[in-house]
Amino acid sequence: MTLNLVPFVSVDHMMKLVLHLGIERVLVDLAAEIEADFLRWGQFDKTPRIASHSDVGVIELMPTSDGQTYGFKYVNGHPANMKRGLQTVTAFGLLADVETGYPLLLSEMTILTALRTAATSAMAAKWLAPKTTVMALIGNGAQAEFQALAFKAVCGITEVRLYDIDPAATAKCARNLAGRGLTLTPCTSAEEAILGAGIITTVTADKKNATILSDNMVGSGVHLNGVGGDCPGKTELARDILLRSDIFVEYPPQTRIEGEIQQLPADHPVTELWQVITGQAPGRRSQGQVTVFDSVGFAIEDFSALRYIRSKLAETGLFDQLDMIADPDDPRDLFGMILRAA
């Protein structure tokens, strides 16, 4: 019996797994897994993430269960970390068997969160965005390359127009994406970046109410993918843009606290993305419609990502076994188990 052993996917194993399978394949697979779980939305426990806020960032737990498997993610968001040479976001996650409570998987999720965030963005755009091959990507930090490749693989984007207030970030992004089948156009302003783009993705990191896009910058017929606003007091889009857009969200009780719509009244109408995917609500209805995916990240997406990684362990062998659960021969004799270790 090996009930004490829990599969563990380290950062090293996650990197090797992604490269073994192929980054774009993983993004496409994750988008499909997340979409499949949105199709069975009603089976899940749902709660806004449990957040501990401070002046410098936030630490959160994101739990959910489909009745058979339980999952949670620990994640932080500390925008000032970058200045100290640290990641803005770090994460790990766990899956467990509901019937026994025993863990089934422990995994790094810093890399996996970047992948699932991009996959969710592209999956939403598949349902909401106009037919286009050009995307503006405003904010060229740690998430940018994942977004670009997800939109290429899932939505057929061929040109990405890059802008960041730090030219070094744009240069980094262009360098990492070189040779991956995308036309990359570095820009000197957000206004320049959005020219000709049918999809505009904002993914900036400042922990404040910012105006990355003002109302006069956004014309008709575009899809906005707002990724950077993900906690109270942190937004990217001007309020007037939201007032003339159709807004789509993951889970309203969480998004109204953390997303772009925290700028709007609590009863402002929004559409849940799962309703579009199941055919209960329309997505894009007209050529001139402005759509906004107010993305803050939800626990079901992490659940999908963890289950996907677990499904690839036997195929790849890229995991360790952690001696994590005390498993005495007699469940009533935990003390005796300690004594026998002498």
Side-chain angles (χ1 to χ4, degrees), residues 20-333:
H20 172 77
L21 297 174
I23 295 174
E24 290 191 33
R25 175 190 164 186
V26 170
L27 288 164
V28 169
D29 288 350
L30 283 173
E33 290 284 345
I34 294 165
E35 184 174 290
D37 281 340
F38 273 48
L39 280 168
R40 60 188 190 107
W41 189 261
Q43 297 179 21
F44 286 91
D45 291 337
K46 293 172 284 291
T47 183
R49 51 186 152 208
I50 303 161
S52 175
H53 293 279
S54 69
D55 291 339
V56 294
V58 63
I59 296 173
E60 301 168 328
L61 291 177
M62 301 174 66
T64 192
S65 171
D66 66 356
Q68 295 184 318
T69 305
Y70 171 88
F72 78 82
K73 183 174 78 174
Y74 166 99
V75 62
N76 77 295
H78 285 69
N81 275 1
M82 184 178 63
K83 298 175 183 177
R84 303 165 63 185
L86 303 175
Q87 287 286 300
T88 300
V89 175
T90 67
F92 68 87
L94 181 138
L95 291 178
D97 177 34
V98 167
E99 185 174 355
T100 65
Y102 271 50
L104 300 171
L105 174 71
L106 178 66
S107 177
E108 87 80 37
M109 288 197 75
T110 306
I111 294 169
L112 188 56
T113 294
L115 290 160
R116 78 89 166 122
T117 299
T120 302
S121 294
M123 184 272 288
K126 187 183 77 169
W127 291 92
L128 303 175
K131 296 294 183 183
T132 184
T133 58
V134 182
M135 178 171 77
L137 186 52
I138 301 173
N140 301 157
Q143 174 65 202
E145 294 91 340
F146 298 95
Q147 291 282 332
L149 291 176
F151 276 84
K152 173 180 179 284
V154 175
C155 301
I157 290 296
T158 60
E159 180 184 355
V160 180
R161 300 176 62 82
L162 302 169
Y163 172 68
D164 194 288
I165 58 172
D166 180 3
T170 299
K172 176 272 303 180
C173 186
R175 183 171 62 250
N176 287 341
L177 291 173
R180 294 190 174 273
L182 287 167
T183 298
L184 304 169
T185 306
C187 300
T188 58
S189 67
E191 290 86 350
E192 180 186 355
I194 66 177
L195 293 175
I199 297 172
I200 304 171
T201 291
T202 57
V203 57
T204 60
D206 281 347
K207 193 181 191 300
K208 64 182 181 182
N209 290 317
T211 304
I212 307 304
L213 295 179
S214 58
D215 185 38
N216 64 344
M217 292 169 64
V218 178
S220 64
V222 301
H223 173 66
L224 302 176
N225 178 39
V227 181
D230 59 1
C231 66
K234 182 183 177 189
T235 58
E236 297 179 310
L237 306 181
R239 184 175 183 271
D240 285 346
I241 298 174
L242 302 174
L243 293 175
R244 62 184 176 89
S245 302
D246 290 304
I247 304 169
F248 300 82
V249 303
E250 292 139 316
Y251 184 59
Q254 180 174 299
T255 310
R256 291 193 189 278
I257 296 170
E258 301 179 349
E260 296 296 328
I261 59 173
Q262 66 186 271
Q263 303 178 70
L264 303 179
D267 60 352
H268 187 88
V270 298
T271 302
E272 295 182 56
L273 184 58
W274 72 268
Q275 295 174 310
V276 177
I277 294 170
T278 58
Q280 298 181 41
R284 176 160 291 274
R285 302 186 310 273
S286 67
Q287 186 175 358
Q289 181 185 14
V290 177
T291 53
V292 174
F293 178 45
D294 191 358
S295 170
V296 297
F298 190 58
I300 291 173
E301 298 153 17
D302 299 309
F303 181 93
S304 306
L306 286 167
R307 282 199 309 110
Y308 172 74
I309 292 301
R310 184 170 182 246
S311 75
K312 298 301 178 185
L313 297 188
E315 173 186 341
T316 65
L318 292 169
F319 65 99
D320 293 312
Q321 296 278 20
L322 290 186
D323 185 7
M324 188 172 162
I325 302 298
D327 186 40
D329 294 335
D330 181 350
R332 299 165 299 180
D333 193 18

